[in-house]
Amino acid sequence: MRPVTVRVPAKINLQLSVGVRRDDGYHDLATVFQAVSLYDDLTVTAARRLRVTITGDHAGGVPADETNLAVRAIVALAGRVGLNPDVHVHVRKGIPVAGGMAGGSADAAAALVACDALWGLRLDRTELMDVAAELGSDVPFALVGGTAIGLGRGERLMPALARGTYHWVFALAEEGLSTPAVYAELDRLRGRRPGANPAAPNVSEALMTALRAGDAAALGAALTNDLQPAAGSLRPQLRLTMEVGREYGALGAILCGSGPTCAFLVRDHEQALDLAVALSAAGVCRSVKRAHGPVHGARIVDD
Ligand code: ATP
């Protein structure tokens, strides 16, 4: 069995509308995902026992045990098809860790695609999507990539009509933010009790129209994330980072998922370079990355 390498992208949420906390602890979401060109590469090789190694930026923040989401995905897939999950999985992290860009979920999706190929399973898309949805809300999107609407916990996907390529600049924070902590802060700020029953969130018409037209300026104006005030309350520095991006002429600024990475939509490659320099010079973030989207989901790459 030859090793298999899968490349998988990070995601951002162009819209993240959050309903109240449900009785099962989750929040109903209406979200629009876009896959962007920051990637993890995951390689699986047949081995005597299941083990994981990690390299790359902030690899130290990623667990190298059974709690790693790639390992959980491999165990789940092996269990489903009645195989032993005996592989060495190696992850080269290019996606910021704990940055709200779903790097762990991306690795879970990559592990499913990689082991499906390594073990010659040839599962159909629906079956892989089922396993993915059980592993986490963001895992199915990492399989498909592109631009998509997510409902439910974000795992119920519908393709979104999107034209054009968008240029993004990301300001990475010194330290990650815990997703549950940000949702808890949102609940606290909203002052509602768990179990309350408000209207379900909806996908924004303005945002969908901008995507259909490939209109970056209109998209920039339509970006919204309900978690932004909560993340800003836990990490006030984020407000300053956003402000710097807007001052330097970004078409739009938005928190990535539950943060703390801030995303800035810009006109083109040149403006991306300028904004990256400005953010670095202002000293408002740990580092800056540039990317474009949409890009495809988890895919096997030739070594
Ligand atoms: P979430 O998907 O919960 O919103 P996130 O996108 O902010 O998270 P991730 O990079 O997915 O950030 O990491 C969240 C946490 O998941 C990390 O702090 C890490 O401890 C854990 N984790 C488990 N497996 C992985 C993995 N393969 N890659 C990155 N983090 C992982």
Side-chain angles (χ1 to χ4, degrees), residues 150-219:
L151 300 175
R153 289 180 285 120
E155 85 289 5
R156 275 178 24 226
L157 295 178
M158 288 181 291
L161 275 178
R163 192 172 282 156
T165 293
Y166 300 93
H167 298 269
W168 297 97
V169 177
F170 299 104
L172 275 52
E174 287 294 342
E175 242 183 276
L177 266 177
S178 143
T179 303
V182 176
Y183 274 95
E185 181 66 1
L186 173 75
D187 293 336
R188 195 186 68 79
L189 291 177
R190 284 178 168 178
R192 298 231 181 100
R193 276 176 298 112
N197 211 9
N202 287 318
V203 170
S204 145
E205 243 338 290
L207 188 119
M208 297 316 287
T209 306
L211 282 173
R212 276 195 298 272
D215 184 338
L219 180 65

Side-chain angles (χ1 to χ4, degrees), residues 61-63 67-70 93 96-105 107 138 179 258-259:
V62 179
T67 63
N68 189 294
L69 288 169
K93 294 295 299 179
V97 175
M101 302 190 81
S105 302
D107 295 346
D138 291 336
T179 303
S258 56

